[in-house]
Amino acid sequence: MTSHGKLRKEKGSLAEYELQVKDLRAQLTDQIKILDSQVDVKQQQLSDLSEFLRRRGDIETEYARALDKLTERFTHKTKKKEQWGQSVCQVWSVLLTQTRLESREHAALGDTCCNTLTQRLAHSTEDTHRLHKRSKEVGIQMQDELLKVTSELQTALKTYNQYHTDCLIAEGKLKEAERLEERHTGKSAELGTGQSGGPRRSSVKKMERLMEKRHGRVQETQLQCTKARNDYLLNLAAANAAMNKYYLQDVSTLIDCCDLGFHLSVERVMRCYLASRWRIQKTEEMGIKQLEAAVTSLDQGGDRDGLLQQHDAAFCLPFRFNYHPHEGDQVCEVSAESHVRYELETRFQQLQSRLAAVTLETEEISKTLKATLTALLDTMCDSDCNPSPDVLSSLSHEPPGGSTAPKLTLAKRRANQQDTEIYYFTKVKEFLTSSCLCSKLQAKHDLLQDAIQKGTLIPDLRVRKSRPVSQFCHTLFTTDILSYIQSSGQQIPVVVESCIRFINLHGLHHEGIFRVPGSQREVNLIRDAFERGEDPLSDSECDLDSVAGVLKLYFRGLEPPLFPYNSYTQLLECVQIEGETEKAAQIKAIVSTFPRPLLIVMRYLFAFLNHVSQYSDENMMQPYNLAVCFGPSLLRGIDSDDAVARQPQVNDLIKTMILQHDLIFPSQSELPGPVYEKHMTLEQEYCEPITEEGEGETEHLPSEDEWEAVAMFDYVARSPAELSFKQGELLILHNKASCDWWRGEVGGVKGLIPHKYITVLDGACSQKYLLPHYCTQLLTHINTLLNALNTKLQSFCVCPDRMRVNSDSASLPGRQRGSEGSPSRKPLTSSATRHLSVGYIFVHLLCLLLLLLLQEMISRQMNSVFKELLSRQPPLQPSALTTPATPAPSSSASSSSLPQTAPAAKKVGFGLRGRALWNKKSQQN
């Protein structure tokens, strides 16, 4: 590459860093603006609350005066009527006393609202402004420190680029000198001994000095380049650590400082108000409780998290600074080569001692900070400055305007509080500075430690669960999905597969999935874990809404989006088609032109969304709601001006693709690749016995070697190792193969039995739960008798002159109208014979009614037993309650161990359902 190309490459790297730093500065400015707006909101809230309490106090005072006048008026009248009876006087006395007490309570409430509570709110307004100002100063200082780190990173990058360029120039000069030496040696060989030895030796010595000088220059520039690269990598690690520390910890601390005591002051004021209202209005207990709940729900941490989530664009952690090697440089880590090893070891020891000292200092500052915070909160909640409800209750029995705290003492307490605040913010600044320095030192310490260990020890060859090395050349989020699939070799990106599996196992029944936002902090943590090559959803408990947010974030950050830009207009034109089938066919014609990797991902995603929509009665996410959540992320145009106007069309298109996904996307036989499975359970290899080193054999049930179980649903085996069985069939269990599979036998055949499809019986109730099996056989015999009786009854109705039997019992279940009569029997004409026939028919009808009654009783007993089976069954996973799916082909390796989906068993009355199941079973028998 020419020098101009190298210069352009260098300028490209520096420009990228400058753009990233520029965005960082804008984001930091937005944070300060948001914090300023928040303090205005809080001050307005305090002002409105103070005005409300003042007006309420005036109203209560006026009401108390009116009650006093009323009491005095009737008290004066009752004194003149001493001739009244004792009972009437007692009634008046109680009534007037109660009115007088009520007047005193209202007067106390008015005085509290106008004086005590409004004064406290005024103090809170002053405190809020002052605390915000000091928090803002600390925040600006921390932002300056962060920008300083980024400036140091840019300087290190420029130095590294300069030294690496010098190294390349020196190597070029060395190669040129080697070519000159080769030409000079060749000319000397051609001349032979014709020339004198003196000039030739002089030329040789001159060339040797030149070569020695060039070699020395190459070694010098290589050493400088290595040092500059190491310094750049160390500054890169420090910058990323500083950013992580600031956005994940410092921002929350600053917001907490802005809100210091605000929530507590409002809570104390409202509790005082509630205590007074509780004494006055006993009949309004429900309203008081509701306000009490609202006051109790004041949560400083929750408000902080809500603020962060509301302004996620300003407070979310930016992407890490990536390492950009210079042209031709293959080293991407700190190298501990022999000529710099001693320097790195010395630097590592210095870092280690410095880190220990800074960590100890930070811990001491943290302890002091906690103690100061406790003292400051105690001062802000002091009983003299902020009266408790108990004090107000004693004031309610005294005349209005009684004894209060002296103003001088109150001013002294306020002054002490401000001194404590100054000391607290000093410690906050020290803690943030020290902890930030600790984070930077820790990052450099870990990087140097890894470099030194790699230089001395044999690399550890343990297999880690991470992405292939080829994936690290592409970021997982905000990337081109086609490039990622090609570099990683994964047909379904790991974040898509892991999030969908997690939601399939835990979130299909979760109300508002994909609509309710998750925690922005947890979303950032899951995203960073995926970027590091980990799978945070494989063995941890995560918030469902946050996992759904990560899935939406992935598709929203794809550039270009999942649907190519050139198909935007064509797909939106399909929305105008009236018929759903024609619309799906046209969409399929357009989608079939997409690259095969995109088709595989789309088929997987829309099959999953269709599965989620099948639980819309529980998760409240119909296909249109899912389209609203995913439409803007999946389908975007190059020009975003008309995105809002075209949003309904995009939603309609995505809704159609969710509903008609099986018609739009090719099947697995047409397009080989991963397909979405509704039942995501353990793979076949995980069905082996679970043993730990040093433990015994596989887990057995503690009481018996063999247990009995009853099949709750039909199951069709999908591999030779599994067993098929029918609902209600008796199973024998030997031991547990895993948490989801048993080893057992059905009809003498041994194999694996899924745990979610059976219920295990204990010895005391096994015979009780086997009742449906024997009742089925009894119902079969009853049906046979019913058919025989029905045939005999029909034989009396063959001839037209014979009395026909019209009964409602002819339409009862199990009866069939016979087609054969008794042609050899002559019709009866005498009256006696007709009476005999009627009696014969009556007996048969009575038998029919008795058998039908017995059948109904047995069916009810079976229903009750089956319902008790379901009640004893442990709660099934969502995948065990979904609609039955068509079994996957036996050639599919991914679905060979997945059980067949169980029938739906929710929100349906069990009586009719159980009866239909058992009648179907009896008909089959």
Side-chain angles (χ1 to χ4, degrees), residues 155-340:
T155 304
L157 174 61
K158 293 179 182 178
T159 305
Y160 160 59
N161 291 341
Q162 180 63 38
Y163 280 121
H164 192 266
T165 303
D166 295 341
C167 182
L168 294 177
I169 294 174
E171 290 176 356
K173 290 182 178 181
L174 177 60
K175 292 181 180 179
E176 183 180 358
E178 290 175 351
R179 288 195 298 270
L180 290 176
E181 183 181 11
E182 290 175 359
R183 288 200 299 268
H184 184 270
T185 305
K187 289 180 180 181
S188 300
E190 290 176 358
L191 295 176
T193 58
Q195 294 181 346
S196 61
R200 189 166 60 249
R201 285 193 301 272
S202 175
S203 178
V204 170
K205 290 182 179 180
K206 183 176 180 181
M207 185 59 64
E208 290 177 353
R209 288 195 298 272
L210 179 61
M211 290 297 296
E212 182 179 358
K213 179 179 178 182
R214 295 290 170 84
H215 276 292
R217 178 59 180 169
V218 168
Q219 292 178 356
E220 180 181 357
T221 55
Q222 287 179 349
L223 180 60
Q224 292 175 347
C225 180
T226 301
K227 292 181 178 181
R229 186 193 309 110
N230 290 345
D231 193 33
Y232 168 49
L233 290 171
L234 291 173
N235 281 281
L236 180 65
N240 288 326
M243 271 205 318
N244 288 344
K245 175 65 173 54
Y246 176 80
Y247 278 90
L248 298 180
Q249 299 179 12
D250 296 351
V251 169
S252 299
T253 304
L254 290 174
I255 295 176
D256 288 341
C257 291
C258 290
D259 294 339
L260 183 64
F262 174 76
H263 295 74
L264 191 59
S265 298
V266 174
E267 182 181 3
R268 297 285 294 181
V269 168
M270 295 308 300
R271 286 190 182 279
C272 294
Y273 174 77
L274 287 172
S276 300
R277 291 284 295 157
W278 190 261
R279 290 188 303 271
I280 296 172
Q281 298 178 348
K282 291 294 184 179
T283 59
E284 298 179 359
E285 183 177 359
M286 184 59 65
I288 298 269
K289 287 184 177 179
Q290 292 178 354
L291 189 55
E292 174 74 18
V295 173
T296 306
S297 63
L298 287 173
D299 183 17
Q300 180 176 344
D303 289 350
R304 178 197 64 204
D305 294 340
L307 177 64
L308 293 175
Q309 183 176 345
Q310 183 180 1
H311 303 282
D312 57 346
F315 293 109
C316 69
L317 177 67
F319 290 98
R320 295 171 56 88
F321 290 103
N322 295 324
Y323 173 66
H324 296 281
H326 198 257
E327 181 65 25
D329 190 7
Q330 299 297 327
V331 181
C332 61
E333 57 184 4
V334 178
S335 59
E337 298 176 358
S338 57
H339 49 277
V340 295

Side-chain angles (χ1 to χ4, degrees), residues 701 707-710 733 742 755 758-762 872-873:
L701 294 172
W707 284 61
E708 294 178 340
V710 173
L733 306 179
W742 291 82
H755 176 69
I758 64 173
T759 180
V760 182
L761 308 178
D762 54 14
R872 293 173 63 90
Q873 175 79 353

